Amino acid sequence: MRKITRRSFLTAAAACGAAAALSACGGSSSASSAAASSTVASASVAAASNGEKFTVGICQLVQHAALDAATQGFEDALTASFGENVTFDFQNAQGDSATCATIANGFVSSGVALIMANATPALQAAQAATNTIPILGTSVTEYGVALGLDNFSGTVGGNVSGTSDLAPLDQQADMIVEWMPEVKKVGLLYCSAEANSQYQVDEVQKYLEAKGVTATQYAFSDSNDLSSVCQKAADENDALYVPTDNTVAANTGIVDGICRPAKKPVFAGEEGICSGCGVATLSISYYDLGYTTGEMAVKILNGESDISTMPIEYTDVTKKYNKAVCDDLGLTVPEGYVEIEA
């Protein structure tokens, strides 16, 4: 457990172990533990509104720039409202969904006031661990897919809400064609262990094919086979697209080491991946996304909002490009794109 501090690793994407295969979302914890956690959580929320100290649990799937920024934004928003009265129990699952479950169950046992789940496997683990403690997800693309919800209409209900990092996928497809009007074949590279990555490539494939572009999916199971799958995708296509995929985000050097020498542009679903191996992206600010999640947490902890009625929130996207990669590939940047800061 730690008091809030500003961590120094915000801008560096670390090479971490890949995300393990996602387990199916389960139900809640036992009735006795749920009742106990409900009592503790309710007391903590009341304490928050009275200016007393309380603890928020943060489960982050893996360390890389985007998720780090979201966590920092979340912490900053809570600190802006509660100052030293908030303590964060921050835990990194090192890319392992089973570890996410262990962390979430630990938060339930310790009776944290609220859980912030950073990335889809963390959200799934938290949802399976408790149906009483408020859970806010962030860096989650599509909540209906992540939680197996039928007819999802924008509000999860129960004890879950949060923010989405989904950029308009039709515009992602438009971006690729804007940069490469003559493109014929695009490889869609993603980790099969990440449900939201599958959703994104399915949608982008649909939009690209509607434009007459052949789009082929290239799935890898973890970082151990990323290199071989990426090489195959680069060999067989004019360009690659990578969604907001946590495994790629933690291993952009592998993709860059294959695609840049081969002169194969990579288009990315978010800025962190683009800065590591991409040409261009329609990206959100993960710091802003996390900050918005923190503002939601403040409303919940102050008793101003009922999480069961809070819809998933989104943020605006910005067109960005990686100057170093564009220069190496001799690409002309279309109007309206902002250079990613080094």
Side-chain angles (χ1 to χ4, degrees):
M1 190 177 298
R2 60 178 173 80
K3 296 292 287 186
I4 182 163
T5 58
R6 185 168 186 86
R7 292 186 306 280
S8 61
F9 54 76
L10 257 181
T11 57
C16 303
L22 302 182
S23 55
C25 300
S28 62
S29 54
S30 65
S32 58
S33 61
S37 63
S38 177
T39 301
V40 175
S42 297
S44 297
V45 170
S49 62
N50 292 329
E52 299 177 21
K53 296 182 183 297
F54 65 102
T55 300
V56 171
I58 299 175
C59 178
Q60 181 172 313
L61 172 64
V62 67
Q63 181 183 337
H64 65 67
L67 300 191
D68 294 347
T71 292
Q72 189 66 59
F74 177 79
E75 292 183 343
D76 287 353
L78 282 165
T79 302
S81 291
F82 299 125
E84 291 297 315
N85 290 328
V86 61
T87 299
F88 296 100
D89 185 352
F90 171 84
Q91 299 193 39
N92 187 336
Q94 303 297 334
D96 186 358
S97 58
T99 303
C100 287
T102 300
I103 292 170
N105 287 326
F107 288 157
V108 174
S109 296
S110 64
V112 297
L114 181 143
I115 297 172
M116 193 276 264
N118 195 346
T120 298
L123 176 67
Q124 293 171 323
Q127 186 264 352
T130 178
N131 61 2
T132 54
I133 296 175
I135 299 167
L136 289 174
T138 196
S139 313
V140 175
T141 304
E142 217 290 332
Y143 282 73
V145 173
L147 299 179
L149 305 175
D150 294 329
N151 302 316
F152 174 64
S153 60
T155 301
V156 176
N159 64 322
V160 178
S161 189
T163 57
S164 170
D165 61 2
L166 180 64
L169 296 174
D170 56 341
Q171 294 179 35
Q172 301 273 19
D174 291 341
M175 172 183 65
I176 298 171
V177 176
E178 179 183 21
W179 279 77
M180 302 181 69
E182 304 303 319
V183 67
K184 300 297 182 185
K185 296 188 294 183
V186 174
L188 310 175
L189 181 69
Y190 71 103
C191 180
S192 59
E194 300 189 35
N196 279 315
S197 292
Q198 180 71 68
Y199 169 78
Q200 291 174 82
V201 296
D202 286 346
E203 291 295 300
V204 171
Q205 180 176 25
K206 178 179 66 178
Y207 292 121
L208 284 173
E209 290 178 345
K211 296 176 177 295
V213 178
T214 299
T216 305
Q217 297 187 15
Y218 293 83
F220 58 91
S221 58
D222 56 37
S223 61
N224 293 321
D225 65 340
L226 171 57
S227 180
S228 60
V229 175
C230 181
Q231 185 66 63
K232 180 177 173 61
D235 290 343
E236 297 177 353
N237 294 276
D238 305 317
L240 272 64
Y241 172 78
V242 180
T244 55
D245 187 284
N246 290 296
T247 309
V248 175
N251 296 277
T252 55
I254 294 175
V255 177
D256 189 52
I258 292 170
C259 294
R260 200 187 318 195
K263 305 296 183 183
K264 297 298 175 73
V266 176
F267 297 90
E270 59 93 10
E271 181 176 339
I273 296 175
C274 189
S275 65
C277 65
V279 166
T281 182
L282 294 183
S283 185
I284 65 169
S285 164
Y286 275 82
Y287 178 86
D288 291 348
L289 191 73
Y291 201 95
T292 297
T293 313
E295 291 177 325
M296 296 173 73
V298 169
K299 293 176 182 178
I300 293 166
L301 294 172
N302 276 335
E304 299 171 15
S305 297
D306 179 355
I307 191 170
S308 68
T309 63
M310 298 177 79
I312 302 304
E313 296 195 22
Y314 298 81
T315 190
D316 295 332
V317 298
T318 303
K319 292 182 175 182
K320 294 193 174 184
Y321 74 99
N322 184 329
K323 184 178 186 302
V325 176
C326 290
D327 289 348
D328 283 351
L329 300 186
L331 294 173
T332 300
V333 180
E335 292 185 5
Y337 283 80
V338 178
E339 180 181 347
I340 295 174
E341 297 181 4

